[in-house]
């Protein structure tokens, strides 16, 4: 089955620790995205990548980092500089530059210990 | 002011009711308009997709776009308990590479 796989489903971070959220897609989509969702709020864009080895900051990139070494993979690192990391993180992919439809993974809930 | 404003809700309706969900926007360059449905603690799924103005119907769902008023709506006919979810509007410019989302409206359909 084609789709987007996010792991882990739940993640706990200790203060001062960096953690990495995984996102893998087998849809052969060019563009991939990371969104953050806080309770009762919409999706805020963290980073996005339209092609391998290239990515752009979204609206709330501070305290996060990404890489795009392979088309299928777009991991997100939540660094210790992100002081309020508790949120639901969603990865998405898009077919191409004309098609605006996003396909989402099932999300990772990150909490601070 | 946010580029996309969505009626906040929450919305609670009896089964069988007609539901209207609405968003307004300020960027006249938006050309693509989407509605996503998100069940609790799950990833959103695309429900409706419209390019430019007009109506689009898919079963019990109708999406309307009025670009002159910068207003979009999603109508759900004969609402079912399984429609209980958060509905997110989203929109984007041509070749923008990214979508802008509303904050979502949580709908509960009571049997």
């Amino acid at each position: 089955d084609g789709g987007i796989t996010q792991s882990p489903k739940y993640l706990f971070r200790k203060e001062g620790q960096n953690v990495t959220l995984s996102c893998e897609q087998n849809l052969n989509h060019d563009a991939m995205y990371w969104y953050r969702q806080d309770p009762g709020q919409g999706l805020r864009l963290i980073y996005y990548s339209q092609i391998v080895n290239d990515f752009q900051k979204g609206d709330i990139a501070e305290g996060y980092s990404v890489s795009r070494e392979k088309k299928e993979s777009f991991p997100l690192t939540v660094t210790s500089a992100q002081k309020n990391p508790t949120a639901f993180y969603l990865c998405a992919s898009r077919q191409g530059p004309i098609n605006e439809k996003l396909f989402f993974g099932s999300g990772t809930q990150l909490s601070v210990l | 002011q946010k580029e996309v404003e969505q009626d906040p809700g929450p919305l609670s309706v009896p089964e069988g009711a007609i539901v209207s969900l609405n968003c307004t926007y300020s960027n006249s360059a938006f050309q693509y308009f989407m509605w996503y449905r998100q069940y609790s603690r799950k990833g959103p799924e695309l429900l409706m997709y419209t390019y430019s103005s007009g109506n689009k119907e898919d079963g019990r769902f109708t999406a309307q776009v009025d670009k002159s008023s910068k207003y979009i709506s999603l109508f759900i006919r004969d609402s079912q308990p399984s429609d209980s979810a958060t509905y997110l509007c989203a929109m984007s410019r041509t070749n923008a590479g990214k979508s802008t989302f509303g904050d979502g409206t949580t709908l509960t359909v009571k049997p």
Side-chain angles (χ1 to χ4, degrees):
Chain A
D1 286 337
I4 299 177
T5 302
Q6 287 187 244
S7 62
K9 193 172 178 63
Y10 299 97
L11 187 58
F12 297 91
R13 192 191 89 166
K14 295 179 182 178
E15 195 167 334
Q17 186 182 39
N18 293 352
V19 292
T20 297
L21 284 60
S22 170
C23 179
E24 303 277 332
Q25 56 105 352
N26 60 4
L27 300 167
N28 199 33
H29 286 176
D30 292 314
M32 296 186 74
Y33 302 79
W34 275 106
Y35 288 91
R36 170 179 170 142
Q37 187 174 34
D38 291 281
Q41 296 191 29
L43 307 184
R44 291 187 291 167
L45 184 63
I46 304 172
Y47 268 99
Y48 64 108
S49 167
Q50 299 197 72
I51 196 168
V52 174
N53 292 323
D54 188 40
F55 48 83
Q56 289 80 39
K57 292 182 179 180
D59 302 315
I60 55 164
E62 187 174 348
Y64 300 97
S65 67
V66 293
S67 63
R68 186 87 185 277
E69 297 176 1
K70 298 186 299 182
K71 188 175 185 178
E72 306 79 33
S73 179
F74 191 40
L76 173 74
T77 297
V78 184
T79 74
S80 58
Q82 173 49 249
K83 297 305 180 187
N84 184 24
T86 297
F88 190 53
Y89 289 85
L90 287 159
C91 178
S93 70
R94 182 168 58 91
Q95 217 167 345
I98 303 300
N99 189 324
E100 299 299 322
K101 304 173 188 177
L102 290 171
F103 294 82
F104 285 87
S106 56
T108 293
Q109 175 64 49
L110 175 61
S111 302
V112 176
L113 288 175
Chain B
Q1 186 182 0
K2 293 181 180 180
E3 273 191 307
V4 178
E5 300 275 3
Q6 184 167 359
D7 287 354
L11 201 55
S12 181
V13 301
E15 184 175 353
I18 296 174
V19 176
S20 172
L21 303 165
N22 307 294
C23 289
T24 58
Y25 62 95
S26 56
N27 190 339
S28 58
F30 285 143
Q31 292 277 19
Y32 297 89
F33 304 92
M34 287 72 69
W35 286 95
Y36 291 85
R37 178 174 62 194
Q38 184 180 24
Y39 292 113
S40 183
R41 313 315 292 166
K42 301 289 186 186
E45 57 179 334
L46 182 67
L47 199 57
M48 298 290 282
Y49 169 79
T50 309
Y51 172 70
S52 195
S53 281
N55 295 356
K56 186 171 185 178
E57 189 173 320
D58 184 1
R60 296 184 295 110
F61 299 90
T62 300
Q64 285 187 353
V65 175
D66 182 349
K67 291 191 71 180
S68 62
S69 302
K70 298 190 181 70
Y71 190 89
I72 71 170
S73 298
L74 177 70
F75 296 97
I76 308 175
R77 290 185 301 280
D78 187 25
S79 56
Q80 302 295 309
S82 58
D83 295 328
S84 298
T86 296
Y87 291 80
L88 297 153
C89 66
M91 41 199 87
S92 64
R93 297 177 284 110
T94 301
N95 292 328
K98 57 180 180 174
S99 299
T100 302
F101 283 80
D103 283 344
T105 301
T106 298
L107 170 68
T108 301
V109 181
K110 296 184 175 180

